[in-house]
Amino acid sequence: MLSLRSALLCAALAALAAAAPAESAHKVKETVYPPRGWTVLRPAPPAHTISLRIGLPQPKFPELEEHLYAVSDPSSGRYGAHLSKGEVEALVAPHPESVQLVDEWLVSHGLAGDALSRSPAGDWVTVKVPVSLAEKMLDTTYHVWTHAASGAALVRTTSYSLPAHLHEHIDVIQPTTTFARSTPMSATYRSFRAGAAAPDRTDGAKVAVPGASGGQVAASCNGTITPACLLELYNATGYTPQAAATNKIAVTGYLEQYANYADYYQFLEELVPYAADSNFSVVYINGGVNNQTLADAGVEADLDTQYAFGLTYPTPGTFYTTGGSPPFTPDDLEPTDSNEPYAEANDLPQSISSSYGDDEQTVPYSYAARVCAEFAQLGARGVSVMFSSGDGGVGDGDADPATQECYSNDGRNATEFIPGFPASCPYVTAVGATSQVPEIAAWFSGGGFSNYFARPSYQDDAVTKYLGELAPGIYAGLYNASGRAFPDVSAEGVNFTIVWELEAGLVDGTSCSSPTFTAFVALLNDARIASGQAALGFLNPLIYALNAQAVSGFNDITVGNNPGCGTEGFNATIGWDPVTGWGSPNFGILKELVLSA
């Protein structure tokens, strides 16, 4: 027998279904070519549950973007006057007509009430449905796809449709056509190398580095990086954070990467003893967990927490752990959640580092644009968002084994460089990698030009200058010279000492660089907050403006290149370049500059 609540719900559904207009014929919304290396295995199990995220248009987003640049440009009278959560949500809210029509469509498929969840602004609607219903709603067929190189598997389709009258009211629905694996920014040849001992810093040997604390760095740092090395190298030795009650820093974790407390404590005891009594908090997103069994410890998660939080003690650190396990087992009929890179929170940290990403072309433009817009929202609220620039130089992990060339995924199969995402989003700060002391460009530092996003105005002068100095015709046709260029900055990324499963070892990658740079951003935020000023927020307009001055606060990296796709890649040079950006931070100089911004 139906309860009163159930009876009322059924009646309401019936009334809405009766009132809804006759559904128009389906029309193709999006079609993609399967990325190189992915093979269709078989039709997806009809009972497999997927979590469909439906993105409604954000008609006021151009206004949000204007606010973002106004509060992020140091020459603006509104610099630092960040928007509130409510103000941002009002600027990304969909039009009521879009909400109504999408709700009517969902009701027609029996989805309403508790079956739906909405983002605070209402611009995303999420429904969990079996593949069989998703196929009916989207007039498509899902398959299980496998990736040859990694063994990963996904339930995806290469095309989906919507009723014609909904096309202008829905921007995107995923997971459908995105084949991104959200991989940590480290390849297997840069994985954990066990058995490293903490370097001997007691012999007094030094390397002259003019911009470092005291003009020199311990010679041991030329082979093994520690927090002490980074504080010396980036001119922050002796700085004591003063705004720990207000300032916060965070790192993100995906793909069942768990940050282990035992590893963290041992790392601090050995390398940051003055912070040995510290801890970090964990925020769980989309069913995320943080297992503490030692065998579950993640190299990436340990690296991020140990350096981001070890360098910024006593600034409170947060580890965002997001649910979802992308290696979908092809025979597994259990539901899998999609990875969501955002926290819907009121109390956001002022700086966030993420060492995850994928080839831009494996993320359909419609979805990449919406994800990028989410980062613009964070920037408008005063959050600095950093992403690793990638570890494949100008290429990717799926280059042709014979020629090492990289190919487009648009049906042309054209030879071209492969930019990474989200590093290519113009609303994040992309961090490349350096090595050695004094620094040179790390050979794997991801960099290049987006095929999705146009070059933002804050980059025009610097990138135009770089392109004007390239040898005529070099790499013609291999990159989009008018695209958003990256990285923006860089930091050390080779031979980082971490503790994993209670054993010391070394890791490399822009996975090292992003939490390192973010830590120094957090220290700059600390200085501003302690002086009564706002946090820095979206950094790029400030970074490019500073580098137009005689004293920029960055260590220019002029040696090295980032090979990939069968080429030598781009060269590091004086000024900005698509290998190391503007270079690495000089905290001492930057602190004075941002206090006067």
Side-chain angles (χ1 to χ4, degrees), residues 69 424-429 454-463 484-485 488 538-545 582:
Y69 283 114
S424 64
C425 170
Y427 309 126
V428 307
T429 300
R455 183 196 306 154
S457 60
Y458 61 75
Q459 288 194 314
D460 276 342
D461 290 345
V463 176
R484 187 277 205 256
D488 303 296
F538 175 44
L539 292 170
N540 293 5
L542 172 67
I543 289 171
Y544 285 78
W582 286 110

Side-chain angles (χ1 to χ4, degrees), residues 198-245:
D200 181 9
R201 296 173 54 88
T202 62
D203 61 4
K206 300 286 185 179
V207 175
V209 180
S213 297
Q216 54 187 12
V217 177
S220 61
C221 300
N222 207 21
T224 306
I225 293 292
T226 66
C229 290
L230 296 169
L231 291 171
E232 282 182 353
L233 181 61
Y234 297 143
N235 194 18
T237 299
Y239 180 79
T240 301
Q242 309 161 67

Side-chain angles (χ1 to χ4, degrees), residues 220-458:
S220 61
C221 300
N222 207 21
T224 306
I225 293 292
T226 66
C229 290
L230 296 169
L231 291 171
E232 282 182 353
L233 181 61
Y234 297 143
N235 194 18
T237 299
Y239 180 79
T240 301
Q242 309 161 67
T246 305
N247 190 33
K248 298 180 179 65
I249 182 174
V251 297
T252 62
Y254 309 96
L255 316 179
E256 298 184 329
Q257 276 280 330
Y258 308 132
N260 187 270
Y261 284 112
D263 287 341
Y264 181 71
Y265 298 145
Q266 181 171 318
F267 175 83
L268 296 180
E269 288 174 2
E270 294 183 3
L271 296 176
V272 197
Y274 55 85
D277 62 343
S278 71
N279 207 334
F280 60 86
S281 59
V282 179
V283 172
Y284 304 90
I285 302 172
N286 195 34
V289 295
N290 192 39
N291 293 343
Q292 289 303 296
T293 303
L294 203 57
D296 289 330
V299 171
E300 180 65 54
D302 277 359
L303 163 65
D304 289 346
T305 52
Q306 288 169 19
Y307 276 85
F309 307 156
L311 285 166
T312 56
Y313 173 84
T315 304
T318 299
F319 176 64
Y320 286 108
T321 176
T322 301
S325 178
F328 166 75
T329 304
D331 295 323
D332 183 3
L333 302 187
E334 293 299 313
T336 60
D337 293 325
S338 59
N339 290 322
E340 302 304 338
Y342 336 110
E344 294 171 355
N346 287 302
D347 188 21
L348 289 169
Q350 289 86 347
S351 51
I352 301 176
S353 172
S354 189
S355 296
Y356 296 77
D358 216 313
D359 301 339
E360 185 182 70
Q361 66 177 4
T362 66
V363 185
Y365 172 76
S366 60
Y367 191 52
R370 284 300 296 260
V371 170
C372 190
E374 300 287 329
F375 299 129
Q377 294 177 46
L378 290 175
R381 291 176 60 185
V383 180
S384 302
V385 181
M386 270 61 65
F387 270 91
S388 299
S389 70
D391 291 354
V394 294
D396 66 351
D398 295 325
D400 185 281
T403 66
Q404 293 303 305
E405 292 180 339
C406 304
Y407 300 98
S408 69
N409 183 44
D410 54 6
R412 297 177 299 123
N413 208 34
T415 303
E416 65 181 25
F417 294 160
I418 306 298
F421 179 81
S424 64
C425 170
Y427 309 126
V428 307
T429 300
V431 186
T434 66
S435 68
Q436 302 183 26
V437 178
E439 294 171 276
I440 65 171
W443 67 97
F444 53 80
S445 185
F449 301 82
S450 173
N451 290 320
Y452 283 178
F453 303 103
R455 183 196 306 154
S457 60
Y458 61 75

